[in-house]
Amino acid sequence: MWDISTLSAVYAITLGVGVTAALIAWRERDEPGALPLMGMFIGQCLWVTFALFDLQSGTFEGKLLWSELLWIGVVVIPVCWLLFSLEYTGRDQFVRPRYILVLSVVPAITVVLAVTSRSHDLLYTSSELVMYQGQTFLNRSIGPWIWVIMGYTYLLGVLGSIPLLDFIRCESTMFRGQSGAILLGTLAPWVSNALFLGGVISIPAFDPTPIAFSVSGIAYLGAVTRFQLFSTTPSAGQHARRLFIDQLQEGVVVIDDHGFVVDVNDSAREIFGVGEERILGDQARTLFRRCDTAERDDVHSSGKTIYSPHTETLYDITRTEISDSHDRRVGMIFSFHDVGDHVRNQQRHEVLNRLFRHNIRTETNLILSHAELLESDPDTGDPATIKRGAYRIEDTAEKARTILDVFERGRTRDTAADLSMLLSRCVDLTAARYPTATIESDPVPDGVYVSEVLETVFLNVLDNAVDHNDDSNPHVWVTVETDEETVTVEFADDGPGIDDYERSVIERGTENSLQHSSGLGLWLIKWGTEIADGTVTFRENDPTGTVLTITVPTVDPAAKMGTDLERLLEP
């Protein structure tokens, strides 16, 4: 019954099935999991081939040699199985050279121990030839390392099976069939090998695992042909979920029920300034301490708000509980929604509202008072005061119109402007308006482009620097520094400077009835720079005056312009 020719034929058929499966996997090598699956088939083929040579060999030395070499195929299979499972289910972030190297340490040690097994007792303690029904088999008593490699093999087998078990219960018949066939094909050799190691097989020294590979090959071929294993895989769904979270503009932090971080997307990394640092497994409170809590006087704010010094903006926090199928809480998702634009718009509304309620009303009352005095007694009223008040109202209205124009530009993608031409135009216009002023500007490198909204900003900076200078010959110095991504324009004047109170109101970003600035000029500069995604800073000049620094990103002049709806149509 157990003659060599029959067993050899079975081994040959098993080898043919394995080679066919390996060739199919190679043909589909660009598909997720195809290469690891091919590696597993190659490992099975090596195991079957060397087992066949062992079976055919009639000498003790020959059987020793082939029994040692077949370990190459034995140790390849579990590693490739786990790698296949990870790629197939979309967890290929773990299929990296460093992880593969770690997984291969125990198998590599095993191969070394196998080819040197005659000089130690770690793998086998003894070897002898035994006869069964007229056939010669090599019987080797197992050593302690056998249990190490077997335990490692079954551990990788279980770890690789866990992701696939999820798809046994999924709604897709295709994925259920694929996973079921793959698990069946993997289970057959495991069971046969476990029966061999447990001494259940009645044939002494005969491991039927290579024969069980025929079941594996047929099951895998069924997965390919019947359930389209390489035509459709669940890896796309896993990647889509990961991509969806990573591409969210909102920051997302997932923590478990014990307060440890288990997932975080790229936006959250920017919010908390952690970059590529490894934060998974850290306490969430440690991560959250990297930002500051903030209070918002906003009736629309439904939860906590934090301020990130890393992105310099405010975020509303939404907390969502995660429950398992038994309705037990297993963690929480924290979403961080950027409310910086909303808060800035609210602050701008407060400033403009205060302006029209306070400044214009004050000027109007002044004009009416002097007009009434002139009406009752021409000698008591002051026409010059009425005239100055009217000019101030006109100037405020003009700045308000300019601000509205800047806001409108912020709603669309602004035009890119050559910085050299833009700055030169601003200097020339200011010099023409103030002939006694001296404005010195450094040359600007060619090919530097910025948002065109900065023309309004620069004009107001120069206008403020000259108009508020009491000297008969005011001076303004303009310097420009550029790098690969940003440009910094510095305006220095020799005027009286901006007092600390005015500066603090602008830097705080809002006004109230007790604390407000004297006009719209500085607000226009601040808001216009923010719309260009830049920042404004102030410092005192030496010996007198102010140094105002504007830093903005450079822009691509070839970028398409258009409204938000038009940008949605771009490829």
Side-chain angles (χ1 to χ4, degrees), residues 493 496-511 515-518 522-523 526 536-541 544-549:
D493 64 60
I498 303 173
D499 61 56
D500 294 338
Y501 174 81
E502 188 95 4
R503 187 187 306 174
S504 67
V505 173
I506 299 297
E507 290 175 344
R508 189 175 67 249
T510 187
E511 297 183 345
Q515 294 180 308
H516 52 78
S517 64
S518 58
L522 291 178
W523 285 118
K526 176 180 174 63
V536 181
T537 59
F538 305 88
R539 73 173 189 271
E540 293 182 357
N541 197 10
T544 62
T546 299
V547 178
L548 188 149
T549 304

PDB file of all heavy atoms in Angstrom, residues 493 496-511 515-518 522-523 526 536-541 544-549:
ATOM      1  N   ASP A 493      10.561 102.642   9.757  1.00  0.00           N
ATOM      2  CA  ASP A 493      10.385 104.092   9.617  1.00  0.00           C
ATOM      3  C   ASP A 493      11.016 104.795  10.806  1.00  0.00           C
ATOM      4  O   ASP A 493      11.428 104.161  11.782  1.00  0.00           O
ATOM      5  CB  ASP A 493       8.898 104.445   9.489  1.00  0.00           C
ATOM      6  CG  ASP A 493       8.090 104.110  10.730  1.00  0.00           C
ATOM      7  OD1 ASP A 493       8.400 104.652  11.809  1.00  0.00           O
ATOM      8  OD2 ASP A 493       7.141 103.295  10.626  1.00  0.00           O
ATOM      9  N   PRO A 496       7.090 108.349  15.081  1.00  0.00           N
ATOM     10  CA  PRO A 496       6.917 108.253  16.541  1.00  0.00           C
ATOM     11  C   PRO A 496       6.709 106.820  17.028  1.00  0.00           C
ATOM     12  O   PRO A 496       6.792 106.566  18.234  1.00  0.00           O
ATOM     13  CB  PRO A 496       5.675 109.114  16.794  1.00  0.00           C
ATOM     14  CG  PRO A 496       4.906 109.058  15.508  1.00  0.00           C
ATOM     15  CD  PRO A 496       5.934 108.998  14.432  1.00  0.00           C
ATOM     16  N   GLY A 497       6.407 105.897  16.112  1.00  0.00           N
ATOM     17  CA  GLY A 497       6.198 104.511  16.509  1.00  0.00           C
ATOM     18  C   GLY A 497       4.749 104.231  16.883  1.00  0.00           C
ATOM     19  O   GLY A 497       3.927 105.135  17.025  1.00  0.00           O
ATOM     20  N   ILE A 498       4.442 102.960  17.039  1.00  0.00           N
ATOM     21  CA  ILE A 498       3.102 102.520  17.448  1.00  0.00           C
ATOM     22  C   ILE A 498       3.143 102.243  18.941  1.00  0.00           C
ATOM     23  O   ILE A 498       3.982 101.475  19.419  1.00  0.00           O
ATOM     24  CB  ILE A 498       2.695 101.240  16.682  1.00  0.00           C
ATOM     25  CG1 ILE A 498       2.757 101.491  15.167  1.00  0.00           C
ATOM     26  CG2 ILE A 498       1.305 100.782  17.086  1.00  0.00           C
ATOM     27  CD1 ILE A 498       2.535 100.227  14.343  1.00  0.00           C
ATOM     28  N   ASP A 499       2.233 102.867  19.681  1.00  0.00           N
ATOM     29  CA  ASP A 499       2.282 102.685  21.126  1.00  0.00           C
ATOM     30  C   ASP A 499       1.888 101.253  21.502  1.00  0.00           C
ATOM     31  O   ASP A 499       1.249 100.527  20.747  1.00  0.00           O
ATOM     32  CB  ASP A 499       1.398 103.703  21.844  1.00  0.00           C
ATOM     33  CG  ASP A 499      -0.061 103.588  21.452  1.00  0.00           C
ATOM     34  OD1 ASP A 499      -0.636 102.493  21.581  1.00  0.00           O
ATOM     35  OD2 ASP A 499      -0.633 104.605  21.007  1.00  0.00           O
ATOM     36  N   ASP A 500       2.308 100.836  22.695  1.00  0.00           N
ATOM     37  CA  ASP A 500       2.101  99.463  23.157  1.00  0.00           C
ATOM     38  C   ASP A 500       0.623  99.096  23.211  1.00  0.00           C
ATOM     39  O   ASP A 500       0.249  97.952  22.930  1.00  0.00           O
ATOM     40  CB  ASP A 500       2.738  99.271  24.537  1.00  0.00           C
ATOM     41  CG  ASP A 500       4.254  99.393  24.475  1.00  0.00           C
ATOM     42  OD1 ASP A 500       4.804  99.206  23.374  1.00  0.00           O
ATOM     43  OD2 ASP A 500       4.874  99.662  25.526  1.00  0.00           O
ATOM     44  N   TYR A 501      -0.218 100.046  23.592  1.00  0.00           N
ATOM     45  CA  TYR A 501      -1.655  99.768  23.699  1.00  0.00           C
ATOM     46  C   TYR A 501      -2.246  99.410  22.336  1.00  0.00           C
ATOM     47  O   TYR A 501      -2.950  98.411  22.180  1.00  0.00           O
ATOM     48  CB  TYR A 501      -2.362 100.992  24.280  1.00  0.00           C
ATOM     49  CG  TYR A 501      -3.874 100.876  24.291  1.00  0.00           C
ATOM     50  CD1 TYR A 501      -4.521 100.175  25.292  1.00  0.00           C
ATOM     51  CD2 TYR A 501      -4.635 101.465  23.273  1.00  0.00           C
ATOM     52  CE1 TYR A 501      -5.897 100.063  25.293  1.00  0.00           C
ATOM     53  CE2 TYR A 501      -6.013 101.359  23.263  1.00  0.00           C
ATOM     54  CZ  TYR A 501      -6.646 100.656  24.286  1.00  0.00           C
ATOM     55  OH  TYR A 501      -8.008 100.544  24.282  1.00  0.00           O
ATOM     56  N   GLU A 502      -1.933 100.223  21.336  1.00  0.00           N
ATOM     57  CA  GLU A 502      -2.443  99.985  19.982  1.00  0.00           C
ATOM     58  C   GLU A 502      -1.933  98.641  19.456  1.00  0.00           C
ATOM     59  O   GLU A 502      -2.669  97.868  18.846  1.00  0.00           O
ATOM     60  CB  GLU A 502      -1.981 101.112  19.061  1.00  0.00           C
ATOM     61  CG  GLU A 502      -2.605 101.087  17.681  1.00  0.00           C
ATOM     62  CD  GLU A 502      -3.822 101.987  17.590  1.00  0.00           C
ATOM     63  OE1 GLU A 502      -4.127 102.678  18.581  1.00  0.00           O
ATOM     64  OE2 GLU A 502      -4.469 101.977  16.546  1.00  0.00           O
ATOM     65  N   ARG A 503      -0.655  98.376  19.706  1.00  0.00           N
ATOM     66  CA  ARG A 503      -0.064  97.133  19.227  1.00  0.00           C
ATOM     67  C   ARG A 503      -0.711  95.920  19.896  1.00  0.00           C
ATOM     68  O   ARG A 503      -0.970  94.905  19.235  1.00  0.00           O
ATOM     69  CB  ARG A 503       1.441  97.148  19.504  1.00  0.00           C
ATOM     70  CG  ARG A 503       2.173  95.960  18.899  1.00  0.00           C
ATOM     71  CD  ARG A 503       3.623  95.939  19.348  1.00  0.00           C
ATOM     72  NE  ARG A 503       4.291  97.196  19.077  1.00  0.00           N
ATOM     73  CZ  ARG A 503       5.534  97.467  19.481  1.00  0.00           C
ATOM     74  NH1 ARG A 503       6.205  96.570  20.185  1.00  0.00           N
ATOM     75  NH2 ARG A 503       6.086  98.623  19.197  1.00  0.00           N
ATOM     76  N   SER A 504      -0.991  95.997  21.179  1.00  0.00           N
ATOM     77  CA  SER A 504      -1.575  94.860  21.892  1.00  0.00           C
ATOM     78  C   SER A 504      -2.971  94.533  21.364  1.00  0.00           C
ATOM     79  O   SER A 504      -3.360  93.368  21.287  1.00  0.00           O
ATOM     80  CB  SER A 504      -1.627  95.150  23.397  1.00  0.00           C
ATOM     81  OG  SER A 504      -2.546  96.204  23.673  1.00  0.00           O
ATOM     82  N   VAL A 505      -3.733  95.582  21.010  1.00  0.00           N
ATOM     83  CA  VAL A 505      -5.076  95.346  20.469  1.00  0.00           C
ATOM     84  C   VAL A 505      -4.982  94.602  19.138  1.00  0.00           C
ATOM     85  O   VAL A 505      -5.718  93.641  18.878  1.00  0.00           O
ATOM     86  CB  VAL A 505      -5.829  96.679  20.297  1.00  0.00           C
ATOM     87  CG1 VAL A 505      -7.149  96.460  19.568  1.00  0.00           C
ATOM     88  CG2 VAL A 505      -6.080  97.327  21.650  1.00  0.00           C
ATOM     89  N   ILE A 506      -4.063  95.033  18.272  1.00  0.00           N
ATOM     90  CA  ILE A 506      -3.901  94.390  16.960  1.00  0.00           C
ATOM     91  C   ILE A 506      -3.425  92.950  17.132  1.00  0.00           C
ATOM     92  O   ILE A 506      -3.925  92.030  16.473  1.00  0.00           O
ATOM     93  CB  ILE A 506      -2.916  95.180  16.087  1.00  0.00           C
ATOM     94  CG1 ILE A 506      -3.435  96.604  15.845  1.00  0.00           C
ATOM     95  CG2 ILE A 506      -2.681  94.462  14.764  1.00  0.00           C
ATOM     96  CD1 ILE A 506      -4.732  96.675  15.093  1.00  0.00           C
ATOM     97  N   GLU A 507      -2.449  92.726  18.005  1.00  0.00           N
ATOM     98  CA  GLU A 507      -1.915  91.379  18.181  1.00  0.00           C
ATOM     99  C   GLU A 507      -2.943  90.441  18.793  1.00  0.00           C
ATOM    100  O   GLU A 507      -2.957  89.241  18.501  1.00  0.00           O
ATOM    101  CB  GLU A 507      -0.653  91.438  19.042  1.00  0.00           C
ATOM    102  CG  GLU A 507       0.525  92.094  18.324  1.00  0.00           C
ATOM    103  CD  GLU A 507       1.742  92.250  19.216  1.00  0.00           C
ATOM    104  OE1 GLU A 507       1.576  92.130  20.460  1.00  0.00           O
ATOM    105  OE2 GLU A 507       2.848  92.490  18.696  1.00  0.00           O
ATOM    106  N   ARG A 508      -3.821  90.992  19.668  1.00  0.00           N
ATOM    107  CA  ARG A 508      -4.866  90.155  20.266  1.00  0.00           C
ATOM    108  C   ARG A 508      -5.905  89.768  19.230  1.00  0.00           C
ATOM    109  O   ARG A 508      -6.521  88.699  19.305  1.00  0.00           O
ATOM    110  CB  ARG A 508      -5.524  90.903  21.432  1.00  0.00           C
ATOM    111  CG  ARG A 508      -6.476  90.026  22.239  1.00  0.00           C
ATOM    112  CD  ARG A 508      -7.016  90.744  23.467  1.00  0.00           C
ATOM    113  NE  ARG A 508      -7.879  91.851  23.100  1.00  0.00           N
ATOM    114  CZ  ARG A 508      -7.582  93.124  23.274  1.00  0.00           C
ATOM    115  NH1 ARG A 508      -6.419  93.451  23.834  1.00  0.00           N
ATOM    116  NH2 ARG A 508      -8.407  94.074  22.905  1.00  0.00           N
ATOM    117  N   GLY A 509      -6.130  90.612  18.230  1.00  0.00           N
ATOM    118  CA  GLY A 509      -7.002  90.259  17.127  1.00  0.00           C
ATOM    119  C   GLY A 509      -8.442  90.687  17.277  1.00  0.00           C
ATOM    120  O   GLY A 509      -9.256  90.404  16.406  1.00  0.00           O
ATOM    121  N   THR A 510      -8.813  91.341  18.362  1.00  0.00           N
ATOM    122  CA  THR A 510     -10.195  91.759  18.534  1.00  0.00           C
ATOM    123  C   THR A 510     -10.248  93.012  19.389  1.00  0.00           C
ATOM    124  O   THR A 510      -9.257  93.401  20.023  1.00  0.00           O
ATOM    125  CB  THR A 510     -11.039  90.642  19.185  1.00  0.00           C
ATOM    126  OG1 THR A 510     -12.407  91.028  19.179  1.00  0.00           O
ATOM    127  CG2 THR A 510     -10.603  90.377  20.615  1.00  0.00           C
ATOM    128  N   GLU A 511     -11.423  93.631  19.417  1.00  0.00           N
ATOM    129  CA  GLU A 511     -11.638  94.838  20.201  1.00  0.00           C
ATOM    130  C   GLU A 511     -12.864  94.670  21.076  1.00  0.00           C
ATOM    131  O   GLU A 511     -13.673  93.761  20.872  1.00  0.00           O
ATOM    132  CB  GLU A 511     -11.860  96.055  19.279  1.00  0.00           C
ATOM    133  CG  GLU A 511     -10.681  96.396  18.395  1.00  0.00           C
ATOM    134  CD  GLU A 511     -10.939  97.653  17.572  1.00  0.00           C
ATOM    135  OE1 GLU A 511     -12.114  98.069  17.499  1.00  0.00           O
ATOM    136  OE2 GLU A 511      -9.978  98.220  17.024  1.00  0.00           O
ATOM    137  N   GLN A 515     -11.290  98.417  25.038  1.00  0.00           N
ATOM    138  CA  GLN A 515      -9.996  98.322  24.381  1.00  0.00           C
ATOM    139  C   GLN A 515     -10.213  98.261  22.875  1.00  0.00           C
ATOM    140  O   GLN A 515     -10.774  97.287  22.358  1.00  0.00           O
ATOM    141  CB  GLN A 515      -9.243  97.067  24.840  1.00  0.00           C
ATOM    142  CG  GLN A 515      -8.846  97.113  26.319  1.00  0.00           C
ATOM    143  CD  GLN A 515      -8.108  95.839  26.706  1.00  0.00           C
ATOM    144  OE1 GLN A 515      -8.580  94.739  26.474  1.00  0.00           O
ATOM    145  NE2 GLN A 515      -6.940  96.006  27.297  1.00  0.00           N
ATOM    146  N   HIS A 516      -9.788  99.318  22.170  1.00  0.00           N
ATOM    147  CA  HIS A 516      -9.917  99.315  20.717  1.00  0.00           C
ATOM    148  C   HIS A 516      -8.853 100.226  20.125  1.00  0.00           C
ATOM    149  O   HIS A 516      -8.320 101.115  20.788  1.00  0.00           O
ATOM    150  CB  HIS A 516     -11.309  99.773  20.291  1.00  0.00           C
ATOM    151  CG  HIS A 516     -11.748 101.079  20.887  1.00  0.00           C
ATOM    152  ND1 HIS A 516     -11.308 102.279  20.409  1.00  0.00           N
ATOM    153  CD2 HIS A 516     -12.571 101.345  21.941  1.00  0.00           C
ATOM    154  CE1 HIS A 516     -11.845 103.271  21.132  1.00  0.00           C
ATOM    155  NE2 HIS A 516     -12.622 102.723  22.056  1.00  0.00           N
ATOM    156  N   SER A 517      -8.551  99.996  18.858  1.00  0.00           N
ATOM    157  CA  SER A 517      -7.528 100.787  18.186  1.00  0.00           C
ATOM    158  C   SER A 517      -8.147 102.079  17.661  1.00  0.00           C
ATOM    159  O   SER A 517      -9.361 102.247  17.640  1.00  0.00           O
ATOM    160  CB  SER A 517      -6.908  99.979  17.039  1.00  0.00           C
ATOM    161  OG  SER A 517      -7.886  99.710  16.069  1.00  0.00           O
ATOM    162  N   SER A 518      -7.280 102.928  17.159  1.00  0.00           N
ATOM    163  CA  SER A 518      -7.752 104.253  16.753  1.00  0.00           C
ATOM    164  C   SER A 518      -8.306 104.292  15.336  1.00  0.00           C
ATOM    165  O   SER A 518      -8.967 105.243  14.966  1.00  0.00           O
ATOM    166  CB  SER A 518      -6.593 105.259  16.865  1.00  0.00           C
ATOM    167  OG  SER A 518      -5.506 104.834  16.058  1.00  0.00           O
ATOM    168  N   LEU A 522      -4.192  99.704  10.544  1.00  0.00           N
ATOM    169  CA  LEU A 522      -3.449  98.528  11.001  1.00  0.00           C
ATOM    170  C   LEU A 522      -4.264  97.253  10.847  1.00  0.00           C
ATOM    171  O   LEU A 522      -3.715  96.179  10.564  1.00  0.00           O
ATOM    172  CB  LEU A 522      -3.016  98.712  12.454  1.00  0.00           C
ATOM    173  CG  LEU A 522      -1.948  99.781  12.694  1.00  0.00           C
ATOM    174  CD1 LEU A 522      -1.637  99.908  14.184  1.00  0.00           C
ATOM    175  CD2 LEU A 522      -0.668  99.439  11.927  1.00  0.00           C
ATOM    176  N   TRP A 523      -5.593  97.375  11.038  1.00  0.00           N
ATOM    177  CA  TRP A 523      -6.441  96.191  10.852  1.00  0.00           C
ATOM    178  C   TRP A 523      -6.391  95.727   9.400  1.00  0.00           C
ATOM    179  O   TRP A 523      -6.344  94.514   9.112  1.00  0.00           O
ATOM    180  CB  TRP A 523      -7.887  96.509  11.240  1.00  0.00           C
ATOM    181  CG  TRP A 523      -8.117  96.588  12.721  1.00  0.00           C
ATOM    182  CD1 TRP A 523      -8.538  97.662  13.422  1.00  0.00           C
ATOM    183  CD2 TRP A 523      -7.930  95.529  13.663  1.00  0.00           C
ATOM    184  NE1 TRP A 523      -8.638  97.361  14.766  1.00  0.00           N
ATOM    185  CE2 TRP A 523      -8.276  96.049  14.931  1.00  0.00           C
ATOM    186  CE3 TRP A 523      -7.514  94.207  13.580  1.00  0.00           C
ATOM    187  CZ2 TRP A 523      -8.208  95.290  16.099  1.00  0.00           C
ATOM    188  CZ3 TRP A 523      -7.442  93.451  14.739  1.00  0.00           C
ATOM    189  CH2 TRP A 523      -7.789  93.991  15.977  1.00  0.00           C
ATOM    190  N   LYS A 526      -3.199  93.805   8.909  1.00  0.00           N
ATOM    191  CA  LYS A 526      -3.247  92.493   9.558  1.00  0.00           C
ATOM    192  C   LYS A 526      -4.138  91.520   8.785  1.00  0.00           C
ATOM    193  O   LYS A 526      -3.738  90.392   8.472  1.00  0.00           O
ATOM    194  CB  LYS A 526      -3.748  92.638  10.991  1.00  0.00           C
ATOM    195  CG  LYS A 526      -3.928  91.309  11.734  1.00  0.00           C
ATOM    196  CD  LYS A 526      -4.437  91.544  13.146  1.00  0.00           C
ATOM    197  CE  LYS A 526      -4.761  90.218  13.838  1.00  0.00           C
ATOM    198  NZ  LYS A 526      -3.565  89.364  13.996  1.00  0.00           N
ATOM    199  N   VAL A 536       2.099  89.104  10.608  1.00  0.00           N
ATOM    200  CA  VAL A 536       2.606  90.468  10.808  1.00  0.00           C
ATOM    201  C   VAL A 536       3.190  90.571  12.219  1.00  0.00           C
ATOM    202  O   VAL A 536       2.572  90.108  13.180  1.00  0.00           O
ATOM    203  CB  VAL A 536       1.484  91.510  10.653  1.00  0.00           C
ATOM    204  CG1 VAL A 536       2.047  92.921  10.832  1.00  0.00           C
ATOM    205  CG2 VAL A 536       0.816  91.384   9.300  1.00  0.00           C
ATOM    206  N   THR A 537       4.367  91.138  12.321  1.00  0.00           N
ATOM    207  CA  THR A 537       4.964  91.393  13.637  1.00  0.00           C
ATOM    208  C   THR A 537       5.444  92.839  13.703  1.00  0.00           C
ATOM    209  O   THR A 537       5.732  93.461  12.666  1.00  0.00           O
ATOM    210  CB  THR A 537       6.148  90.450  13.903  1.00  0.00           C
ATOM    211  OG1 THR A 537       7.151  90.627  12.887  1.00  0.00           O
ATOM    212  CG2 THR A 537       5.692  88.998  13.931  1.00  0.00           C
ATOM    213  N   PHE A 538       5.504  93.365  14.928  1.00  0.00           N
ATOM    214  CA  PHE A 538       5.937  94.736  15.173  1.00  0.00           C
ATOM    215  C   PHE A 538       7.102  94.721  16.153  1.00  0.00           C
ATOM    216  O   PHE A 538       7.152  93.880  17.060  1.00  0.00           O
ATOM    217  CB  PHE A 538       4.816  95.587  15.772  1.00  0.00           C
ATOM    218  CG  PHE A 538       3.538  95.601  14.969  1.00  0.00           C
ATOM    219  CD1 PHE A 538       2.561  94.637  15.173  1.00  0.00           C
ATOM    220  CD2 PHE A 538       3.302  96.579  14.025  1.00  0.00           C
ATOM    221  CE1 PHE A 538       1.382  94.644  14.463  1.00  0.00           C
ATOM    222  CE2 PHE A 538       2.131  96.601  13.296  1.00  0.00           C
ATOM    223  CZ  PHE A 538       1.166  95.634  13.512  1.00  0.00           C
ATOM    224  N   ARG A 539       7.996  95.676  15.965  1.00  0.00           N
ATOM    225  CA  ARG A 539       9.017  95.916  16.988  1.00  0.00           C
ATOM    226  C   ARG A 539       9.479  97.364  16.857  1.00  0.00           C
ATOM    227  O   ARG A 539       9.248  98.014  15.826  1.00  0.00           O
ATOM    228  CB  ARG A 539      10.194  94.961  16.850  1.00  0.00           C
ATOM    229  CG  ARG A 539      11.128  95.227  15.695  1.00  0.00           C
ATOM    230  CD  ARG A 539      12.366  94.316  15.770  1.00  0.00           C
ATOM    231  NE  ARG A 539      13.375  94.691  14.811  1.00  0.00           N
ATOM    232  CZ  ARG A 539      13.440  94.233  13.568  1.00  0.00           C
ATOM    233  NH1 ARG A 539      12.528  93.371  13.138  1.00  0.00           N
ATOM    234  NH2 ARG A 539      14.406  94.645  12.753  1.00  0.00           N
ATOM    235  N   GLU A 540      10.107  97.878  17.906  1.00  0.00           N
ATOM    236  CA  GLU A 540      10.569  99.261  17.900  1.00  0.00           C
ATOM    237  C   GLU A 540      11.818  99.404  17.046  1.00  0.00           C
ATOM    238  O   GLU A 540      12.674  98.516  17.015  1.00  0.00           O
ATOM    239  CB  GLU A 540      10.859  99.723  19.328  1.00  0.00           C
ATOM    240  CG  GLU A 540       9.618  99.821  20.207  1.00  0.00           C
ATOM    241  CD  GLU A 540       9.956 100.320  21.597  1.00  0.00           C
ATOM    242  OE1 GLU A 540      11.166 100.524  21.871  1.00  0.00           O
ATOM    243  OE2 GLU A 540       9.027 100.498  22.407  1.00  0.00           O
ATOM    244  N   ASN A 541      11.905 100.537  16.354  1.00  0.00           N
ATOM    245  CA  ASN A 541      13.099 100.839  15.573  1.00  0.00           C
ATOM    246  C   ASN A 541      14.060 101.657  16.429  1.00  0.00           C
ATOM    247  O   ASN A 541      13.652 102.289  17.416  1.00  0.00           O
ATOM    248  CB  ASN A 541      12.709 101.629  14.312  1.00  0.00           C
ATOM    249  CG  ASN A 541      13.819 101.603  13.275  1.00  0.00           C
ATOM    250  OD1 ASN A 541      14.783 100.866  13.403  1.00  0.00           O
ATOM    251  ND2 ASN A 541      13.661 102.416  12.232  1.00  0.00           N
ATOM    252  N   THR A 544      14.176 105.744  16.783  1.00  0.00           N
ATOM    253  CA  THR A 544      12.729 105.963  16.887  1.00  0.00           C
ATOM    254  C   THR A 544      12.047 105.259  15.717  1.00  0.00           C
ATOM    255  O   THR A 544      12.667 104.928  14.711  1.00  0.00           O
ATOM    256  CB  THR A 544      12.379 107.470  16.828  1.00  0.00           C
ATOM    257  OG1 THR A 544      12.798 108.003  15.560  1.00  0.00           O
ATOM    258  CG2 THR A 544      13.021 108.242  17.958  1.00  0.00           C
ATOM    259  N   GLY A 545      10.747 105.085  15.885  1.00  0.00           N
ATOM    260  CA  GLY A 545       9.984 104.502  14.789  1.00  0.00           C
ATOM    261  C   GLY A 545       9.593 103.056  15.047  1.00  0.00           C
ATOM    262  O   GLY A 545       9.748 102.516  16.145  1.00  0.00           O
ATOM    263  N   THR A 546       9.101 102.458  13.998  1.00  0.00           N
ATOM    264  CA  THR A 546       8.580 101.088  14.077  1.00  0.00           C
ATOM    265  C   THR A 546       9.149 100.259  12.940  1.00  0.00           C
ATOM    266  O   THR A 546       9.359 100.763  11.831  1.00  0.00           O
ATOM    267  CB  THR A 546       7.040 101.083  13.979  1.00  0.00           C
ATOM    268  OG1 THR A 546       6.497 101.839  15.062  1.00  0.00           O
ATOM    269  CG2 THR A 546       6.479  99.664  14.011  1.00  0.00           C
ATOM    270  N   VAL A 547       9.390  98.994  13.225  1.00  0.00           N
ATOM    271  CA  VAL A 547       9.760  98.023  12.197  1.00  0.00           C
ATOM    272  C   VAL A 547       8.606  97.035  12.078  1.00  0.00           C
ATOM    273  O   VAL A 547       8.297  96.305  13.021  1.00  0.00           O
ATOM    274  CB  VAL A 547      11.065  97.278  12.540  1.00  0.00           C
ATOM    275  CG1 VAL A 547      11.368  96.240  11.455  1.00  0.00           C
ATOM    276  CG2 VAL A 547      12.217  98.255  12.686  1.00  0.00           C
ATOM    277  N   LEU A 548       7.932  97.060  10.945  1.00  0.00           N
ATOM    278  CA  LEU A 548       6.808  96.167  10.688  1.00  0.00           C
ATOM    279  C   LEU A 548       7.271  95.091   9.710  1.00  0.00           C
ATOM    280  O   LEU A 548       7.752  95.415   8.617  1.00  0.00           O
ATOM    281  CB  LEU A 548       5.621  96.943  10.124  1.00  0.00           C
ATOM    282  CG  LEU A 548       4.288  96.198   9.968  1.00  0.00           C
ATOM    283  CD1 LEU A 548       3.121  97.164  10.138  1.00  0.00           C
ATOM    284  CD2 LEU A 548       4.196  95.539   8.590  1.00  0.00           C
ATOM    285  N   THR A 549       7.126  93.823  10.103  1.00  0.00           N
ATOM    286  CA  THR A 549       7.627  92.704   9.294  1.00  0.00           C
ATOM    287  C   THR A 549       6.465  91.840   8.831  1.00  0.00           C
ATOM    288  O   THR A 549       5.639  91.410   9.645  1.00  0.00           O
ATOM    289  CB  THR A 549       8.616  91.844  10.098  1.00  0.00           C
ATOM    290  OG1 THR A 549       9.679  92.664  10.578  1.00  0.00           O
ATOM    291  CG2 THR A 549       9.186  90.730   9.229  1.00  0.00           C
TER     292      THR A 549
END
